[in-house]
Each structure stands twice: as C-alpha cells, then as structure tokens.
Amino acid sequence: MLLLLLLQVSASCLWLGSSEVVTSFESSCPQFFFRETPPNEAIEPESPAWICQRYKNQYYFATLYDRNRRIPVYSAYIYQPGPGKRPKTWLVEPQLMGPTYPKTMEKEWTLLNYFNVSLDQLSKSQAILQDYKNLTGLNRGHLNPNGHHGDSSSRTATFTLTNIVPQDEKLNGGAWNNYEQQTMIRKTKGCNTTYVVVGAVPGNNYIAKGRVNKPSYLWSSACCEVDTNHRKAWAVIAENDKNEVQLLTLGELEDVLTQLYGRDQISLFDSDCPRE
C-alpha cells in the first residue's frame, strides 16, 4: 500500500513537471502569441485553466479555459492553412481532472476504459460529448478552426471540447465561416506570420441543464508580421444569435471587450501590434 502511494506521488510530480494544464503560457507555450505576450489578466475568468493544447507529444495551440462555465475564454494559434480532411473524433483534456492524468488530449472512451475514470468525474472538470447532443439551433463552434491548420495532427488537435462553444448554427455556417475561410485569406496576403487570438464572451444562457454556457458574442483578432519592421492587425465580433460579423480594428475590439466584461482595459496582443 505504501509503495502504491509512493508511486502515485512520484507520477504526480512527473506530470507536474511538464503538464498540459500549466501555470502560465509565458513559461510553457509562449510561441503561439505575438512577442510571446498573451492577453492580459482583465479577460481571465474566476476559475481559469491555462491549457497548452497537446496532441501526440506536440503543442499545437493555447487555450484559456473557464472551468465554471465549461467553455474556452480564448484560443491562440498561428494561422497556417492547408488542404486536408475534417477530423471526426472529439477529444477531451484529462489534466483538467488533475495533474496525474495524461498530459495529452484523449478520447472520452479511452479515459473511461483505460484510466479508471468515471463519466461523472470527467464531467465535473469540463464539457463532455453528452452536453452537445440534441442541440437545437446551435452547433459545436470551434474557436481555433481545423481549416486554419495544414496537417492532420494539427487539425485533429482542434477537435477538443475545450476549444468549442455552443454557437448559433446559422452564424457558424454563414458569416463566421465566411470570415474564417475567405476574409482571413484576403487579410493575410503578404504576411510572414499571423498570430490569432479568438474568443467567446460568456452569456446568460446555458445548455446541458445549466452545465455549459452559451456565449453572447464571439470574436477573433489577428496580428500579422509582414516583415521585421511592418505589422498589421484586424478583428471581428459577432453576436451569437445573428448571422452577422462586424469588422473592427484591434483597438476597437479591445475597447468593446472591455465594455462587455466591465473590468480593466483588455489587451489582446503586445503593444507593438497596431491598434488602428
């Protein structure tokens, strides 16, 4: 019994050394943010989890997760679109249950059958597949879309329930999709590297018997490095019950989000990214 306890403690220490649910993005996966600078604390929820999204032992993007509302606050990634198939398998984040669990995203089925995890235990830490079944007028809306990635593993990594929110189905398949697939292509012409932070503002409604928040707004922002001396930025916001996307400057979006959250001034990127 003592040996088993020691092994469990040892395993816990190993996971904490390089866990996926981390203490800060700056120390663990800063590469997904322009100048390695994540959004400031004004956008953080009461019970945050910083996730370096890991699949097959590689980090693909970063997500700030709201444990209470069971939705992401934002996901940050580098825009690298390419051809490929849309994944079908949905994954979850084991480490939201604790540091002794796998540090790479897994299927619910795998955790239930091989890691002695109950569905009740998993559901306390995050949204599960059951929460998104039988939706009416809503889709599983990606923050970080699979179409903005160029290979199979990076696209699969976006299919984690920690990267999606209940999104209006007309918006998801209409104006928001047009922004992701068409506007981004136009806007990123001439960019060497484009950093993206896309997020969701919590709303007053919930799905799954109050378990998962339905955001009131979705937004996306981008900072593009044209060369070492030139950068450009843009942003959009959409109400989550209208098929309409509003194009903004980065500064305008930060001001709108500051009003919606009612906190200190929100900053999404390093100050070298243009706000006008």
Side-chain angles (χ1 to χ4, degrees):
M1 188 70 183
L2 179 60
L3 178 60
L4 179 60
L5 181 62
L6 289 171
L7 286 171
Q8 287 176 334
V9 171
S10 176
S12 173
C13 291
L14 286 171
W15 287 126
L16 282 170
S18 58
S19 67
E20 184 159 1
V21 175
V22 298
T23 54
S24 78
F25 291 137
E26 291 95 334
S27 61
S28 301
C29 53
Q31 66 268 32
F32 302 113
F33 302 92
F34 173 65
R35 297 279 169 86
E36 300 190 346
T37 305
N40 66 349
E41 295 178 357
I43 202 169
E44 290 177 11
E46 288 184 6
S47 184
W50 293 267
I51 306 172
C52 292
Q53 299 282 15
R54 183 170 178 153
Y55 179 67
K56 291 186 176 178
N57 294 319
Q58 184 173 337
Y59 291 142
Y60 286 103
F61 63 105
T63 299
L64 178 62
Y65 193 71
D66 186 334
R67 292 177 179 270
N68 292 340
R69 296 183 178 93
R70 297 184 177 88
I71 57 169
V73 177
Y74 65 76
S75 287
Y77 61 96
I78 296 174
Y79 178 72
Q80 295 173 310
K85 295 181 179 179
R86 178 182 172 89
K88 296 180 180 178
T89 300
W90 288 95
L91 305 166
V92 291
E93 178 47 66
Q95 291 227 322
L96 285 173
M97 294 183 292
T100 60
Y101 292 97
K103 54 187 174 181
T104 184
M105 54 184 78
E106 298 282 355
K107 298 177 187 176
E108 275 186 20
W109 186 89
T110 302
L111 291 173
L112 299 181
N113 287 277
Y114 290 102
F115 289 91
N116 197 30
V117 172
S118 69
L119 196 60
D120 181 63
Q121 185 181 5
L122 181 63
S123 68
K124 285 179 181 176
S125 69
Q126 60 200 282
I128 58 174
L129 287 170
Q130 182 64 38
D131 293 328
Y132 281 90
K133 287 187 176 179
N134 303 317
L135 294 179
T136 302
L138 297 169
N139 288 157
R140 303 173 190 180
H142 284 73
L143 293 192
N144 177 1
N146 82 96
H148 286 186
H149 298 272
D151 61 64
S152 176
S153 291
S154 57
R155 285 191 295 272
T156 299
T158 68
F159 269 67
T160 168
L161 297 186
T162 55
N163 178 48
I164 66 167
V165 297
Q167 185 176 11
D168 181 272
E169 62 179 2
K170 291 181 180 178
L171 174 64
N172 190 26
W176 193 259
N177 183 66
N178 289 341
Y179 171 72
E180 290 179 339
Q181 303 303 325
Q182 298 176 22
T183 308
M184 280 293 287
I185 291 174
R186 293 197 304 270
K187 287 283 191 180
T188 55
K189 283 184 178 178
C191 297
N192 281 326
T193 305
T194 301
Y195 296 89
V196 180
V197 180
V198 54
V201 180
N204 297 319
N205 298 312
Y206 285 77
I207 65 167
K209 298 179 181 179
R211 282 180 39 81
V212 179
N213 186 267
K214 178 195 169 188
S216 55
Y217 291 85
L218 284 91
W219 54 269
S220 184
S221 58
C223 184
C224 142
E225 289 185 307
V226 178
D227 54 42
T228 53
N229 298 316
H230 298 90
R231 287 163 292 280
K232 60 181 181 177
W234 60 90
V236 292
I237 193 166
E239 291 185 61
N240 196 19
D241 56 3
K242 296 179 182 176
N243 186 18
E244 183 180 327
V245 168
Q246 183 181 3
L247 188 62
L248 305 171
T249 66
L250 175 57
E252 286 172 340
L253 175 63
E254 290 176 333
D255 289 343
V256 169
L257 292 179
T258 299
Q259 291 179 349
L260 289 172
Y261 276 89
R263 303 183 196 162
D264 294 337
Q265 178 66 38
I266 288 173
S267 174
L268 300 175
F269 288 96
D270 178 86
S271 59
D272 279 348
C273 199
R275 262 57 186 181
E276 297 301 324

